[in-house]
Amino acid sequence: MSDLHPAGPHHLPGFITAPSDTDPLMVGVGIFLIFAVLMVGIFYLHLHSLPERMAHKSQKFQFEIVAVLCLLALFTHNHLFWVIGLFLAMVDLPDFSSPLRRIAGSVEKMAGVPPEEDPTEPPSETAAHAGTGVPDATKPGAANSTLKTTAAVDEIKSKIQRDLRRGGPGHA
């Protein structure tokens, strides 16, 4: 600091540096600015994905529509898409396809036509269970046969217990 002009003040504030020194205030402000821009960007993207996260627990079709609307809002900077996606994510759309599918299956069963495979369901594993002799739990009658078997086992147990209390089988 001996190179100062004689007309200048002899005591300078700490944020004023010599011509060849690093300015610590500018470095600190630069680091803070980079950090602030990154945090605002993360907050913006987190807020932008809010409708998608809300619709994630809903139906697949509704989730896909909300995701497309959010992407359109992100790339076009049209906030109306984001607002529509947010409202759509908040509303629980009724499930019309399941009752209609059940009605169609019942009508097919009444007509004697074998029901078609549901494209939204995974393929049944009939080939895997064919050689084992174990009824497939995904078949419509499997739960009914399991209930019948359980009822038959319970009936046999009650008969055995009754016979044991009477002193053996054949004593009436």
Side-chain angles (χ1 to χ4, degrees):
M1 294 235 180
S2 61
D3 299 342
L4 290 177
H5 191 274
H10 296 298
H11 177 68
L12 295 175
F15 58 86
I16 296 179
T17 59
S20 63
D21 287 345
T22 303
D23 187 3
L25 183 63
M26 186 182 79
V27 171
V29 168
I31 291 172
F32 174 75
L33 186 63
I34 291 172
F35 178 75
V37 166
L38 283 175
M39 294 316 297
V40 166
I42 289 171
F43 175 72
Y44 174 74
L45 291 176
H46 185 74
L47 182 67
H48 181 77
S49 68
L50 179 69
E52 287 182 80
R53 287 183 281 125
M54 288 173 61
H56 190 70
K57 63 182 183 293
S58 66
Q59 302 168 10
K60 182 179 185 269
F61 181 67
Q62 183 179 3
F63 173 70
E64 288 176 355
I65 291 174
V66 170
V68 167
L69 285 172
C70 287
L71 277 176
L72 281 173
L74 180 67
F75 291 127
T76 62
H77 299 290
N78 190 350
H79 302 299
L80 184 62
F81 291 133
W82 187 84
V83 172
I84 292 171
L86 183 65
F87 285 144
L88 186 60
M90 283 201 244
V91 173
D92 239 357
L93 294 179
D95 182 22
F96 292 115
S97 62
S98 294
L100 292 175
R101 195 175 299 122
R102 286 196 312 242
I103 291 170
S106 298
V107 170
E108 286 176 348
K109 190 185 293 183
M110 287 170 42
V113 177
E116 295 180 9
E117 288 287 325
D118 186 10
T120 60
E121 296 291 325
S124 62
E125 300 175 6
T126 55
H129 293 292
T132 61
V134 177
D136 189 3
T138 60
K139 291 182 182 176
N144 195 11
S145 69
T146 305
L147 289 175
K148 288 180 182 177
T149 306
T150 306
V153 169
D154 290 340
E155 184 180 349
I156 292 171
K157 282 182 182 178
S158 65
K159 285 183 180 179
I160 291 173
Q161 289 174 352
R162 186 187 68 221
D163 288 342
L164 287 175
R165 279 181 285 187
R166 291 182 180 173
H171 296 134

